[in-house]
Amino acid sequence: MTKEQRLNDIALAVYADSGLMTPSYIYDERAILGTLDLLSGLRKAAACHILYSVKAVSVAGLLETIAPHVDGFSTSSLFESRLARETLGGRGSVHMVSPGIRPDEMLKIAEQCDYLSFNSLPQWERNRPAVRDRMRCGLRVNPGLSFVEDDRYNPCRPWSKLGVSLEVLHDRHKQSPASLQGISGFHFHNNCESREFAELDWTVTKICDALGDYLPEMSWINLGGGYFLENEAHIRMLAAIVNRLHDQYGLTIFFEPGKAIVNRAGFLVASVLDLFESDGKTIAILDTSINHLPEIFEYQYRPVVMQATESGAYEYRLAGSSCLSGDLLGDYRFDTRLAVGSRILIENIGAYMLVKANMFNGINLPSVYLLDRDRKLRLLKRFDYSHYRDRL
Ligand SMILES: *Cc1c(COP(=O)(O)O)cnc(C)c1O
C-alpha cells in the first residue's frame, strides 16, 4: 500500500465514523503489525530477540496488540516493568535500565524483571548483594559515540549520566574482575530517530575493540533502540550486524525499538472549534493543544497535517485551546475552506506524545482508538473529569 493509499484509508475511517470523539489519538493496527512483520523477518535472518520499549506508548490495548509479536518488553521504571509483566503474563522477558533506582524498589523490580542493566558501577555495587541471583544483571555501557545533534537527546553528550564509559569498564575488568562477578551482559543505547545503520555498526565495532577481552565472558548484549525500521534494507543491515556479533562472541542479542513500532501508526484527530481574523491571519482554534503533542513543542517540530497542501488557497494558523499564546501548531494551507467542526488529522505522532500529554488548563486528554485490521475503530481509552480531579 502506498503512503497515499494508507492515508486515504485512515481518513476514510475517521470521516465515516460520525460518532468519533475528538480530540483523539488513533493507532493504525495494520501499521503496527507491518513493522512487527518486518521485525519478524529480522528474527528469521538473524539470532535477534526483539523487545518493545514500552515508554514510547503504553496503552494497555496497544501492548496487547504488540506482545504476541515480540520476545518481551523493555522498561525504564518499576511501574513500566509491572505493566510489562502483567501484559506478558508468563511469556517473554522484561528488561529494565534506569539511572535512578530507588533502594526501596529494588526487590520489587526483581519480582517483575528478568534482566536489569545497571547504569553505573556504584549502582551495581550497592544493589549487587540484593539482586544478583534474582535477575540477569548487566551494565549499561556508554560507547562515547554521538550521532544526535541536540544534546538533550544525546546519550553520549559530554559528562553523560548514561552508562559506564568503555575505558572505565575496561580498566575495572583488568584490575578487579571479582567486582564484576555476576554481570552477564552489556546494554547500550546511543541513538535517536536514526536510519543510518552504519552508526550502529561503528558503535558495535567500538565496543568490541574496547572490550574485546571481556566480551567472551558475557552471554548477552542489548543494542538499545533509536533506529527507524521501515524497509527490508534496514532489516538486512541490522541482520548483518547481529550475525557478526553472534558469530564472533556467541552472544544472545536484544534490540529494543520504541518509536519505530508505534510512531507512524499514530494520528491525532482534532476538530475546529472557532475561526476568526487576527491582524490579517485566520486563526483556527482546535479542540486539542500542544499539551497533547508535547514533543512537538519540546523539539520545535512542525507537525504533519494530513489535509494541508503546499499551495492551497486558504491559509490558517492552527492553534490549541489552552491559555498559552504559544500553543500553536503552525500556519498551514488547505485546498478547501475550514469550517467549525472540520476535522484535522496530524500524522506520525504515535510515540512519546500520549505518554507525556497532560491536562493543563483542565483540558481533557484525547480518547484513544485502535483502527483495527478490519478497519473498525475500537475505543481503547477515554478520559473524564475524575482523571483530572484524582491526579492532583
Ligand atoms: C528510549 C529508549 C529506547 C527506545 O528508543 P526509541 O528511540 O523509541 O527506539 C530503547 N532503549 C533505551 C535504553 C531507551 O532509553
Side-chain angles (χ1 to χ4, degrees):
M1 197 185 262
T2 65
K3 180 170 184 257
E4 296 297 289
Q5 284 167 334
R6 197 174 77 82
L7 294 180
N8 280 339
D9 187 45
I10 307 283
L12 273 178
V14 166
Y15 289 113
D17 188 329
S18 56
L20 177 82
M21 289 175 278
T22 72
S24 59
Y25 300 102
I26 297 185
Y27 281 87
D28 177 5
E29 188 175 30
R30 282 190 197 164
I32 294 177
L33 294 175
T35 306
L36 291 169
D37 196 44
L38 271 180
L39 283 165
S40 82
L42 174 66
R43 286 150 96 200
K44 285 190 201 109
C48 191
H49 297 256
I50 304 296
L51 311 172
Y52 167 62
S53 178
V54 307
K55 72 179 185 205
V57 69
S58 51
V59 179
L62 292 176
L63 295 182
E64 280 156 20
T65 295
I66 295 168
H69 305 275
V70 293
D71 299 294
F73 287 146
S74 74
T75 62
S76 334
S77 64
L78 173 61
F79 283 2
E80 280 189 359
S81 302
R82 185 172 161 186
L83 180 64
R85 185 35 72 209
E86 278 173 13
T87 311
L88 289 167
R91 60 171 293 281
S93 48
V94 178
H95 301 238
M96 177 170 152
V97 61
S98 165
I101 294 179
R102 301 172 57 90
D104 56 321
E105 288 184 347
M106 200 63 237
L107 290 177
K108 293 181 197 141
I109 288 170
E111 281 168 22
Q112 310 296 339
C113 294
D114 304 286
Y115 290 75
L116 178 62
S117 296
F118 289 93
N119 183 61
S120 72
L121 289 170
Q123 192 192 44
W124 154 243
E125 281 150 9
R126 219 175 305 108
N127 292 293
R128 177 188 188 180
V131 298
R132 199 174 126 166
D133 301 323
R134 295 171 194 257
M135 288 175 285
R136 290 177 193 243
C137 296
L139 283 176
R140 177 169 183 168
V141 298
N142 186 319
L145 276 179
S146 297
F147 303 111
V148 183
E149 262 174 37
D150 184 337
D151 262 348
R152 290 177 301 168
Y153 306 98
N154 174 12
C156 300
R157 66 189 282 171
W159 306 288
S160 174
K161 64 170 200 180
L162 297 169
V164 186
S165 81
L166 299 178
E167 299 73 38
V168 167
L169 186 55
H170 174 267
D171 292 352
R172 172 62 77 93
H173 178 245
K174 276 260 136 31
Q175 284 151 17
S176 167
S179 72
L180 297 169
Q181 198 103 70
I183 294 293
S184 62
F186 294 144
H187 176 284
F188 67 87
H189 170 74
N190 66 330
N191 221 331
C192 184
E193 302 187 345
S194 176
R195 290 177 173 83
E196 303 298 329
F197 285 85
E199 296 170 350
L200 183 61
D201 203 21
W202 293 330
T203 306
V204 167
T205 302
K206 186 167 178 196
I207 291 173
C208 292
D209 287 350
L211 301 173
D213 46 357
Y214 188 9
L215 267 172
E217 296 170 34
M218 295 294 105
S219 58
W220 57 272
I221 188 165
N222 186 326
L223 313 182
Y227 291 84
F228 283 119
L229 294 149
E230 295 165 329
N231 52 49
E232 299 287 345
H234 288 165
I235 296 296
R236 274 198 302 280
M237 288 185 278
L238 186 50
I241 297 167
V242 167
N243 282 332
R244 186 161 58 93
L245 257 179
H246 184 261
D247 294 348
Q248 205 167 348
Y249 298 101
L251 296 165
T252 300
I253 295 156
F254 298 99
F255 182 59
E256 49 178 20
K259 196 164 197 169
I261 295 177
V262 292
N263 197 54
R264 208 173 53 98
F267 298 80
L268 183 79
V269 189
S271 298
V272 175
L273 289 179
D274 194 18
L275 291 157
F276 55 85
E277 299 297 312
S278 173
D279 300 330
K281 273 190 194 291
T282 309
I283 311 291
I285 303 282
L286 305 178
D287 59 2
T288 184
S289 151
I290 46 154
N291 298 310
H292 300 159
L293 300 168
E295 282 219 334
I296 284 182
F297 201 53
E298 257 176 79
Y299 282 97
Q300 296 290 301
Y301 271 138
R302 180 169 163 87
V304 183
V305 173
M306 194 191 285
Q307 303 97 328
T309 56
E310 284 285 306
S311 53
Y314 306 99
E315 193 186 33
Y316 298 89
R317 171 158 292 193
L318 300 182
S321 5
S322 81
C323 67
L324 184 69
S325 69
D327 181 0
L328 299 170
L329 297 183
D331 294 350
Y332 291 85
R333 294 186 161 277
F334 296 84
D335 291 335
T336 53
R337 264 184 225 283
L338 294 183
V340 168
S342 295
R343 286 177 180 180
I344 300 284
L345 271 121
I346 298 161
E347 299 174 44
N348 294 336
I349 55 83
Y352 303 115
M353 299 293 183
L354 166 55
V355 285
K356 292 183 171 184
N358 63 64
M359 290 196 188
F360 180 55
N361 272 203
I363 296 170
N364 198 11
L365 288 173
S367 305
V368 186
Y369 290 89
L370 186 70
L371 181 59
D372 73 12
R373 50 198 106 174
D374 304 320
R375 286 355 221 174
K376 292 269 173 324
L377 279 167
R378 292 207 333 246
L379 182 66
L380 295 181
K381 181 84 196 164
R382 177 177 192 172
F383 299 91
D384 60 31
Y385 172 66
S386 69
H387 296 98
Y388 166 70
R389 181 195 58 205
D390 293 347
R391 172 139 181 266
L392 304 180

